[in-house]
Every structure is written in C-alpha cells, then in structure tokens.
Amino acid sequence: MKGKTIKEINLGDRASFEKTISETDIYLFAGITGDLNPAHIDQLEAEKGMFKGRIAHGILVSGLISTVLGMYLPGPGTIYLGQELKFLAPVRIGDTIRAEAEVIEKIDEKNRIKLRTQCINQDGKVVIDGIATVMPPR
C-alpha cells in the first residue's frame, strides 16, 4: 500500500476520517502519555472547572489528523513534518469528530505539501484548526 506522490496530488484535494470519542479512548491516552489531568479523567474535579465536566485531551483529538495524512492523503509512506494547531472548543465523551485535510500548497522542488487541517464535531463546530506540513512518498 502506497500513498499519493506529489505529482498525483493537486491543490484542493481533500480527505477525512471520523471517530466517536469514547471514555476508553481518553483513559487509554491518559495511561499511554501519563497526562492524568483531572479535566480528562476525574468527573467530580472536572465539574468544578471551566468545562463543567470531563473533556478529551486536545492532542488525542488532533491525532485523528494523523490518520487522515498517514492513511488517506497523501497516505501510507507520508512523513509528518510539522503541525500548527489551535484548540477552539472542547471535545466530550460521545462526540463524533471528523478530521479533515485539504491541500493548500505544493512545494514540488522539496517534495512537501501543506494542508489545512480541521477537526469538526457532530454539530458542525470546528474544535481544532491548523496547518500540517508533510512529505509525500516518492
């Protein structure tokens, strides 16, 4: 399985991936990373905070962008070089998130592309916005 090369990619190409965030996802991510912030794993403490309940780790949610880039556009063989992220809204247990990527720039001589990346919840609200830089497979 091989992803698209820079010659096969056009400005405006798009891909997406969708997942519902579960309580298990949050606990597994907390265990893997060691980020046991009560905002993510302790309902009683989280209720006292600004979001009035537990929320998913922003980096967990932004990880869905990696799925889009590594599996769909450009796809397998892609090297993820950088990512700018803005966390705009919380993601809660049970939210369905669609990660999207759109090619906005090609740098043929360096074999690089830039993609607008967004994570959008089931209500159409953008929860994460950013720009990714990747190297597609040759």
Side-chain angles (χ1 to χ4, degrees), residues 98-111:
R98 186 177 69 255
E100 299 181 345
E102 178 182 0
V103 177
I104 59 170
E105 184 179 349
K106 288 178 61 175
I107 309 163
D108 293 274
E109 63 278 4
K110 291 187 176 184
N111 191 42

Side-chain angles (χ1 to χ4, degrees), residues 19 23-37 40-41 57 59-60:
K19 178 177 180 18
E23 184 173 37
T24 300
D25 294 328
I26 293 169
Y27 282 123
L28 288 172
F29 189 84
I32 290 165
T33 63
D35 182 352
L36 304 175
N37 184 327
H40 309 303
I41 63 165
H57 302 74
I59 293 297
L60 183 163

Side-chain angles (χ1 to χ4, degrees), residues 58-108:
I59 293 297
L60 183 163
V61 178
S62 66
L64 301 179
I65 296 166
S66 183
T67 301
V68 177
L69 303 176
M71 298 305 297
Y72 303 107
L73 180 67
T78 296
I79 304 299
Y80 210 154
L81 299 173
Q83 178 76 57
E84 298 173 27
L85 295 170
K86 293 179 186 167
F87 299 100
L88 304 174
V91 173
R92 300 181 187 284
I93 295 167
D95 282 356
T96 298
I97 304 299
R98 186 177 69 255
E100 299 181 345
E102 178 182 0
V103 177
I104 59 170
E105 184 179 349
K106 288 178 61 175
I107 309 163
D108 293 274

Side-chain angles (χ1 to χ4, degrees), residues 109-122:
E109 63 278 4
K110 291 187 176 184
N111 191 42
R112 306 281 192 274
I113 62 171
K114 290 193 177 201
L115 303 100
R116 170 94 186 270
T117 56
Q118 292 190 316
C119 292
I120 302 161
N121 71 13
Q122 67 278 355

Side-chain angles (χ1 to χ4, degrees), residues 2-69:
K2 184 178 174 196
K4 292 181 178 182
T5 66
I6 199 159
K7 291 179 183 172
E8 298 171 306
I9 296 169
N10 298 301
L11 293 177
D13 284 357
R14 298 175 62 93
S16 65
F17 173 76
E18 189 170 284
K19 178 177 180 18
T20 300
I21 303 299
S22 70
E23 184 173 37
T24 300
D25 294 328
I26 293 169
Y27 282 123
L28 288 172
F29 189 84
I32 290 165
T33 63
D35 182 352
L36 304 175
N37 184 327
H40 309 303
I41 63 165
D42 185 328
Q43 180 63 26
L44 293 177
E45 283 301 311
E47 286 174 0
K48 299 173 190 173
M50 67 185 282
F51 298 116
K52 305 299 181 209
R54 288 184 295 160
I55 59 170
H57 302 74
I59 293 297
L60 183 163
V61 178
S62 66
L64 301 179
I65 296 166
S66 183
T67 301
V68 177
L69 303 176

